[in-house]
Amino acid sequence: ENVNIAQKLNLFHEHENQELQVSLTLNVKLGKLKGKFVWHHHEAEDELFLVVKGNLLIKLRDRDILLEEGEFMIIPKGVEHLPVAKGEVHLLLLEPKSIVNTGNVQNEEQSTTGGS
């Protein structure tokens, strides 16, 4: 499901010292997307889509999820998905460095440095 960062932060009011754990095998990617990507899945990797600007539709085989600014979604490994941006969308992606952006699909979009 999509997660709204502002709503989640409003759920607590204490100013606690929060620990952020970052793996050195993780890529943090900024990108812009417009149009459809390709249906694909990742066999062994989860990926996180965070919408910075715009709206991103994540099509799953059983439903569609609309991510708005400030929302994110984690796509679990093995889940087939199709990112669709009707207008320009600014994204932050968190994914393992080893991930191929088109997952199981071999085509001209394939890259280990491109968007997912």
Side-chain angles (χ1 to χ4, degrees):
E1 297 297 319
N2 56 321
V3 176
N4 183 290
I5 294 171
Q7 287 176 349
K8 291 296 181 188
L9 288 170
N10 284 330
L11 293 178
F12 60 92
H13 303 287
E14 296 81 26
H15 292 95
E16 298 175 4
N17 193 8
Q18 300 294 325
E19 182 177 335
L20 176 63
Q21 297 180 1
V22 178
S23 169
L24 295 177
T25 60
L26 185 68
N27 266 342
V28 177
K29 298 178 185 178
L30 289 174
K32 294 180 180 179
L33 179 63
K34 190 171 185 180
K36 288 184 181 180
F37 198 61
V38 294
W39 277 104
H40 67 285
H41 70 273
H42 304 280
E43 291 292 332
E45 305 96 357
D46 298 335
E47 62 183 335
L48 181 145
F49 290 85
L50 168 63
V51 176
V52 176
K53 182 178 178 183
N55 296 306
L56 180 66
L57 182 65
I58 302 285
K59 291 182 135 327
L60 305 173
R61 290 299 183 186
D62 63 343
R63 67 182 193 250
D64 294 345
I65 297 176
L66 181 64
L67 297 177
E68 297 180 355
E69 290 182 15
E71 294 184 335
F72 71 87
M73 178 179 185
I74 298 171
I75 305 291
K77 65 183 175 185
V79 174
E80 198 168 23
H81 58 285
L82 171 67
V84 179
K86 294 190 180 191
E88 184 176 87
V89 176
H90 297 191
L91 292 173
L92 182 136
L93 298 167
L94 299 177
E95 56 194 19
K97 284 186 177 183
S98 62
I99 202 167
V100 174
N101 67 335
T102 57
N104 63 318
V105 176
Q106 303 288 320
N107 70 9
E108 66 278 357
E109 298 289 331
Q110 186 172 345
S111 166
T112 57
T113 59
S116 297

